């Protein structure tokens, strides 16, 4: 079975803090994705990566950056967290279909 | 990117068959159709994928007409645990940048 894990299920941070969300997959997938999900807005793509050290902006990259130093790991970085980044963050990896992690519910106070 | 349109919500009763239709009028030749299920506070879970005609697995069936401008997810004999949001996704799974647009999803409520 494909396994996608995320470093935390719940996270509380303060405005202005730097936040790292980690995602690890164990299926040697080349493609990895970061989404955020908000009520009424569905899943929105932040960034994706199709290879190590490669990244592409999604629909809402502002305020975020990513890092893909190893194939199995894709990190989402909030350089200076803001309250409007309070959300559920979902990581996925794929060869063809996307497999999702359990999500990280981030609250920025 | 192919945009999808689904009903916002549906209600059903235990034991009934549920059919959820997704419209994707500008589907491209290389695009596949994939359905996901999502429970609250969890990531979406892959249900089924198809390109044309009919695909069936142990969970659901997917019906795709010849013009491929729509697809129907069929859940046989639903139970209370099938209450979830169902997403239709259209894209070319050989191109990571083209498999990314989730629609709003259909919230299925199964009642006893």
């Amino acid at each position: 079975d494909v396994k996608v894990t995320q470093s935390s299920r719940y996270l509380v941070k303060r405005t202005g803090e730097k936040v790292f969300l980690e995602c690890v997959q164990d299926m040697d997938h080349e493609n990895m994705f970061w989404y955020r999900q908000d009520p009424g807005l569905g899943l929105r793509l932040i960034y994706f990566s199709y290879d190590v050290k490669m990244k592409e902006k999604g629909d809402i990259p502002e305020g975020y950056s990513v890092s893909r130093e190893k194939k199995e790991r894709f990190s989402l970085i909030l350089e200076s967290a803001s309250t409007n980044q309070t959300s559920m963050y979902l990581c996925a990896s794929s060869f063809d279909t996307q497999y999702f992690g359990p999500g990280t519910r981030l609250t920025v106070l | 990117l192919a945009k999808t349109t689904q009903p916002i919500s549906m209600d059903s009763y235990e034991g009934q068959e549920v059919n959820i239709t997704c419209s994707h009028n500008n589907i491209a030749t290389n695009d596949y159709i994939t359905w996901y299920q999502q429970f609250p506070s969890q990531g979406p879970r892959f249900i089924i994928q198809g390109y044309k005609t009919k695909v069936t697995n142990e969970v659901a069936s997917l019906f795709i007409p010849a013009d491929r401008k729509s697809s129907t997810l069929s859940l046989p004999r639903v139970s209370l645990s099938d209450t979830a949001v169902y997403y239709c996704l259209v894209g070319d799974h050989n191109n990571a940048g083209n498999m990314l647009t989730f629609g709003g999803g259909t919230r299925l409520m199964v009642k006893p």
Side-chain angles (χ1 to χ4, degrees):
Chain A
D1 273 356
V2 176
K3 194 161 186 186
V4 180
T5 57
Q6 295 183 228
S7 49
S8 305
R9 287 303 307 272
Y10 300 94
L11 206 53
V12 180
K13 295 291 182 180
R14 296 206 174 273
T15 302
E17 281 192 80
K18 190 168 186 175
V19 182
F20 292 88
L21 302 182
E22 302 281 336
C23 176
V24 178
Q25 50 97 0
D26 66 357
M27 283 301 291
D28 203 36
H29 287 164
E30 293 184 346
N31 305 317
M32 296 189 74
F33 309 82
W34 275 107
Y35 295 87
R36 64 178 282 178
Q37 186 172 31
D38 302 287
L41 295 176
L43 281 85
R44 293 181 292 167
L45 182 70
I46 305 171
Y47 269 97
F48 69 98
S49 169
Y50 53 88
D51 203 350
V52 174
K53 296 193 185 296
M54 306 301 287
K55 60 184 180 183
E56 294 285 343
K57 292 180 180 179
D59 298 322
I60 51 164
E62 296 78 20
Y64 303 94
S65 61
V66 290
S67 173
R68 185 112 181 255
E69 295 297 319
K70 292 185 178 181
K71 193 173 187 179
E72 67 272 18
R73 189 178 299 269
F74 192 34
S75 301
L76 180 69
I77 303 154
L78 287 66
E79 293 289 342
S80 177
S82 62
T83 54
N84 63 12
Q85 292 179 309
T86 291
S87 185
M88 168 72 96
Y89 289 88
L90 290 159
C91 173
S93 75
S94 78
F95 173 68
D96 46 19
T97 57
Q98 293 188 50
Y99 296 88
F100 284 82
T104 295
R105 187 166 293 283
L106 171 67
T107 301
V108 182
L109 302 175
Chain B
L1 295 176
K3 185 176 167 61
T4 61
T5 304
Q6 304 172 233
I8 293 173
S9 64
M10 294 180 71
D11 288 344
S12 183
Y13 290 92
E14 282 191 291
Q16 287 188 334
E17 179 186 76
V18 170
N19 296 307
I20 306 174
T21 296
C22 178
S23 297
H24 28 80
N25 290 319
N26 59 339
I27 189 169
T29 302
N30 293 334
D31 286 347
Y32 280 70
I33 300 152
T34 309
W35 285 81
Y36 291 85
Q37 175 192 55
Q38 187 178 26
F39 298 112
S41 299
Q42 294 186 24
R45 183 176 73 100
F46 170 83
I47 301 175
I48 197 166
Q49 183 180 75
Y51 184 80
K52 62 180 179 180
T53 62
K54 178 183 173 182
V55 180
T56 297
N57 62 21
E58 64 277 8
V59 176
S61 294
L62 179 59
F63 298 92
I64 306 167
D67 66 6
R68 303 199 328 120
K69 293 184 183 299
S70 66
S71 59
T72 298
L73 175 72
S74 181
L75 304 172
R77 299 184 59 79
V78 294
S79 63
L80 296 177
S81 63
D82 292 317
T83 293
V85 179
Y86 292 82
Y87 292 95
C88 165
L89 182 66
V90 174
D92 177 0
H93 64 221
N94 292 315
N95 179 351
N98 196 28
M99 193 68 180
L100 308 169
T101 303
F102 280 80
T106 298
R107 188 173 299 276
L108 173 66
M109 174 69 73
V110 179
K111 302 174 183 177

